[in-house]
Amino acid sequence: MDIEARIKRRQRRNGEPRLIQDYESISPVVHIEEPADRGPVLERLLDHLDPVFDGQLPPNAYVYGPHGSGKSAVITALFANLEQLPTEQQAIIHTTTRAQPPTSPSFVYVNARETASEFAFYHAILDALVDESVPEHGIGTETLKSRLHDLVREQRTGIVIAVDHISEPESIQAPDLVDLFAGLPSNVSWLAIGRDDPSATELTRYTAESISIDRYQRQMLVDVLMTRASNGLAQQGLDHSLARHIADWADGNAHDALAALFIAAELAEERGQDRITQANVDAAIGEVPDPCVSLGIVLSLPTNRQAVLRELIDLEEGERSSVTATTEAIASAESVELSAGTVKRFLYEMAESGVVDRVEATVTNGQGRPPSRVEPRFPPTAFRRLYDLQQ
């Protein structure tokens, strides 16, 4: 653990010790710089990327694995390091003069949850390659694409692009990604990262290799939880036995395990405790839906949809008795500046994408179709705190 992390652990607010020292360290949507116990996976990825160390582009590849297997954690950490090796060669400055062209490819990570449109996709790549900020308004997609082509041609050794979260709800779908890749210059290599089996996606028609990332083994997941707790909680904030309990329940899913840790810590913090208890963990596990939609997906939704969800999770039971009642309650909230019709449309759209569920009522008046209520497919406590921290 570095000096900054040690100092954070000893920080106090209002003179009182706090259990949660750093929310980011225990957040299920934040990836740490050094993923725990993923050495073999990193080696397989480095084997594939080995040509870059000779200044060559690797072939295209598809990286896949189940939800919560650590795909994003490994890829983001790897690309963050590759971007810096060596810094003086990787730096790309979009000017008419350059002292010396880079001798190895550049690396770009793209989050498909945040770049679903053609404009957003090319904008994200260009913005990662230049020092100055690329405007988001007043520029057309074709102009953006042309600038990107010119820049990539200057990069003689090419660019390696990792596109994460393919074919998820509200994300870039595989056929669309193929078209987007086709719009890039020839000296671009890519890694597509998704959950689908290689036989179920057309991306593998354009790749030389498929790289599997398996679920975390039990002890590996315990190490992940203890590492995060060591960085984010007060000393002895999480007992090893509770980490094992969470890992056993999560069954290799790091997202759900970290969500449970985050909720348990928040519940303990609200009660003024100096450590997480078994009761906190049991309550946290009970709050995580099965299956649970990734909190990263929820927090990547447009701001107005997140605002609707923020109100949804705080409604009383009577206000959620039907979609109509839920819509009226959310639309009347001061923080939501949307019409009832728009709120209802958002709820139906998010039900279609799996962010929320429409659950039919078990008790009816015997007339017509039974009403349905809206239930989140994500843990409310975790979303509430993560949303509020962003505001």
Side-chain angles (χ1 to χ4, degrees):
M1 184 186 301
D2 61 18
I3 295 176
E4 182 181 359
R6 290 178 183 272
I7 292 173
K8 282 185 176 181
R9 285 181 56 185
R10 296 173 181 268
Q11 286 178 331
R12 299 292 184 266
R13 183 177 298 175
N14 297 328
E16 295 292 331
R18 296 180 59 85
L19 170 63
I20 301 178
Q21 303 291 314
D22 179 21
Y23 274 103
E24 282 198 354
S25 294
I26 60 172
S27 171
V29 298
V30 174
H31 304 301
I32 60 177
E33 294 181 0
E34 295 289 339
D37 292 331
R38 295 313 254 173
V41 173
L42 282 167
E43 286 298 323
R44 291 203 303 272
L45 290 167
L46 284 170
D47 285 344
H48 174 79
L49 295 169
D50 193 64
V52 305
F53 300 105
D54 293 323
Q56 305 296 318
L57 283 175
N60 301 331
Y62 177 58
V63 181
Y64 68 101
H67 173 44
S69 58
K71 302 181 296 297
S72 299
V74 173
I75 293 294
T76 53
L78 179 58
F79 268 57
N81 280 273
L82 288 172
E83 288 171 14
Q84 304 300 320
L85 298 175
T87 302
E88 64 273 12
Q89 293 179 343
Q90 292 296 341
I92 300 178
I93 302 176
H94 192 34
T95 62
T96 56
T97 61
R98 183 185 291 130
Q100 182 179 357
T103 58
S104 58
S106 296
F107 297 85
V108 174
Y109 173 85
V110 176
N111 185 345
R113 292 170 177 166
E114 301 172 353
T115 57
S117 70
E118 182 182 18
F119 178 89
F121 179 77
Y122 293 128
H123 182 280
I125 298 173
L126 182 61
D127 196 51
L129 292 173
V130 298
D131 286 345
E132 68 272 17
S133 178
V134 179
E136 297 184 5
H137 306 285
I139 181 174
T141 300
E142 289 305 315
T143 300
L144 192 69
K145 192 173 175 181
S146 176
R147 291 184 183 179
L148 178 58
H149 271 254
D150 292 341
L151 179 58
V152 174
R153 289 193 190 98
E154 292 179 17
Q155 177 72 355
R156 297 179 183 177
T157 51
I159 296 171
V160 182
I161 302 173
V163 185
D164 199 2
H165 305 299
I166 298 304
S167 297
E168 293 181 357
E170 310 291 340
S171 180
I172 302 176
Q173 303 303 301
D176 298 323
L177 184 62
V178 170
D179 292 338
L180 292 170
F181 282 144
L184 294 171
S186 59
N187 60 332
V188 170
S189 173
W190 50 264
L191 275 69
I193 302 100
R195 301 178 188 175
D196 293 338
D197 186 87
S199 62
T201 176
E202 66 178 85
L203 289 169
T204 51
R205 294 170 53 191
Y206 308 92
T207 58
E209 183 178 6
S210 294
I211 302 171
S212 173
I213 297 182
D214 298 326
R215 285 180 176 270
Y216 282 88
Q217 296 179 4
R218 176 177 176 270
Q219 187 54 49
M220 294 167 59
L221 195 47
V222 171
D223 291 343
V224 169
L225 292 169
M226 293 305 297
T227 298
R228 294 292 195 105
S230 176
N231 291 338
L233 302 180
Q235 292 186 20
Q236 300 180 343
L238 177 68
D239 185 80
H240 200 273
S241 63
L242 292 179
R244 290 198 301 270
H245 179 58
I246 294 173
D248 286 339
W249 162 80
D251 193 25
N253 187 321
H255 172 274
D256 289 1
L258 288 170
L261 170 62
F262 188 90
I263 297 166
E266 181 69 8
L267 295 176
E269 176 88 357
E270 290 175 354
R271 291 163 174 76
Q273 301 167 200
D274 61 358
R275 63 183 60 191
I276 293 172
T277 66
Q278 181 71 54
N280 300 143
V281 170
D282 291 342
I285 288 175
E287 190 178 313
V288 180
D290 182 20
C292 178
V293 67
S294 170
L295 284 159
I297 292 177
V298 183
L299 292 165
S300 295
L301 293 171
T303 303
N304 51 12
R305 285 169 171 78
Q306 289 190 49
V308 168
L309 294 175
R310 181 63 181 84
E311 290 297 326
L312 170 68
I313 61 175
D314 280 349
L315 294 182
E316 300 292 338
E317 185 175 351
E319 296 174 310
R320 294 190 293 110
S321 60
S322 67
V323 174
T324 299
T326 300
T327 297
E328 292 174 353
I330 294 175
S332 64
E334 293 182 2
S335 61
V336 177
E337 298 178 354
L338 300 169
S339 68
T342 300
V343 170
K344 178 175 283 191
R345 175 168 60 84
F346 284 176
L347 291 174
Y348 279 120
E349 289 174 351
M350 288 188 287
E352 183 69 24
S353 64
V355 172
V356 299
D357 268 339
R358 289 176 58 204
V359 181
E360 283 194 357
T362 56
V363 179
T364 69
N365 58 12
Q367 298 179 351
R369 184 175 179 178
S372 59
R373 66 182 189 277
V374 179
E375 297 288 350
R377 284 190 57 199
F378 52 88
T381 297
F383 172 70
R384 180 184 295 109
R385 172 55 64 190
L386 292 168
Y387 178 90
D388 291 350
L389 286 171
Q390 289 181 348
Q391 304 310 304

